């Protein structure tokens, strides 16, 4: 009782200590630990543009691949997404630090959707590309709209057909875009799940 009267004379009630306790509890529950930053999985997959359909082209940052949403015409599919990727980052995207590891110049990558898969026909040999360039191609194809089967991008199989190396009848190289935005062999992705 004596403390309460003294606090009332000074104009300080129990609200100030209660506010401090509430702030401490709120900050303690925010999920920030002293262990430092931790991986949080793949980037968010929601549409980032207002209105109609979008395609996601995967470009590079200092931390790996990053999807950029681009407006797309109705009925867009993997070919539209690959064309957006091959066009490269816009001036505004380059100003934000996005870049591409794909070879410069006019190249045609053909993409054909199949149930739960995309066939990519490359004008390059995969071994001549940077690993990050392969990830850009695979993740852009896997995240494209118009793939029959309604699978999540991490569940879409991308079959890579290399330029001039695959004799008729030879099987393409099956890969997937993993949770981190990197291309990986199908067996490795499925084993990690």
């Amino acid at each position: 009782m004596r403390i309460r009267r003294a606090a009332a004379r000074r104009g300080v009630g129990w609200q100030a200590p209660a506010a401090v306790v509430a702030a401490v509890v709120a900050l303690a529950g925010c999920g920030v630990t002293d262990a430092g930053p931790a991986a949080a999985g793949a980037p968010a997959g929601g549409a980032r543009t207002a209105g109609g359909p979008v395609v996601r082209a995967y470009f590079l940052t200092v931390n790996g691949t990053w999807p950029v949403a681009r407006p797309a015409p109705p009925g867009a599919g993997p070919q539209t997404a690959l064309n957006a990727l091959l066009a490269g980052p816009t001036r505004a995207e380059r100003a934000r630090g996005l870049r591409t590891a794909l070879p410069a110049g006019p190249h045609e990558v053909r993409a054909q959707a199949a149930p739960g898969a995309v066939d990519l026909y490359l004008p390059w040999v995969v071994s001549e590309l940077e690993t990050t360039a392969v990830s850009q191609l695979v993740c852009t194809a896997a995240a494209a709209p118009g793939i029959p089967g309604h699978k999540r991008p991490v569940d879409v199989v991308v079959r890579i057909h290399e330029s001039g190396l695959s004799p008729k009848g030879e099987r393409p190289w099956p890969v997937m875009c993993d949770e981190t935005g990197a291309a990986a062999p199908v067996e490795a992705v499925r084993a990690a799940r």
Side-chain angles (χ1 to χ4, degrees), residues 118-149:
V118 177
D119 284 290
L120 280 186
Y121 298 89
L122 302 182
W124 311 286
V125 176
V126 171
S127 63
E128 295 174 352
L129 294 173
E130 291 181 39
T131 304
T132 52
V134 176
S135 293
Q136 285 183 265
L137 290 162
V138 169
C139 292
T140 298
I147 300 171

Side-chain angles (χ1 to χ4, degrees), residues 36-171:
R48 291 176 175 80
T49 61
V54 297
V55 294
R56 284 176 185 75
Y58 278 72
F59 293 109
L60 302 178
T61 69
V62 294
N63 297 316
T65 59
W66 188 260
V68 174
R70 299 264 178 90
Q79 189 64 56
T80 306
L82 268 293
N83 291 345
L85 174 66
L86 291 172
T90 65
R91 178 178 290 172
E93 291 163 352
R94 285 191 309 271
R96 291 190 341 239
L98 297 173
R99 62 180 183 81
T100 185
L102 292 168
H107 300 288
E108 182 183 350
V109 173
R110 290 187 307 115
Q112 185 175 7
V118 177
D119 284 290
L120 280 186
Y121 298 89
L122 302 182
W124 311 286
V125 176
V126 171
S127 63
E128 295 174 352
L129 294 173
E130 291 181 39
T131 304
T132 52
V134 176
S135 293
Q136 285 183 265
L137 290 162
V138 169
C139 292
T140 298
I147 300 171
H150 307 291
K151 290 189 174 195
R152 299 176 314 144
V154 294
D155 295 325
V156 172
V157 174
V158 178
R159 297 181 294 239
I160 296 179
H161 302 265
E162 297 179 273
S163 175
L165 286 188
S166 299
K168 286 196 176 221
E170 189 171 317
R171 296 171 58 131

Side-chain angles (χ1 to χ4, degrees), residues 11-41:
V12 178
W14 292 100
Q15 295 87 0
V20 170
V21 169
V24 168
V25 168
L27 289 174
C30 72
V32 177
T33 67
D34 59 357

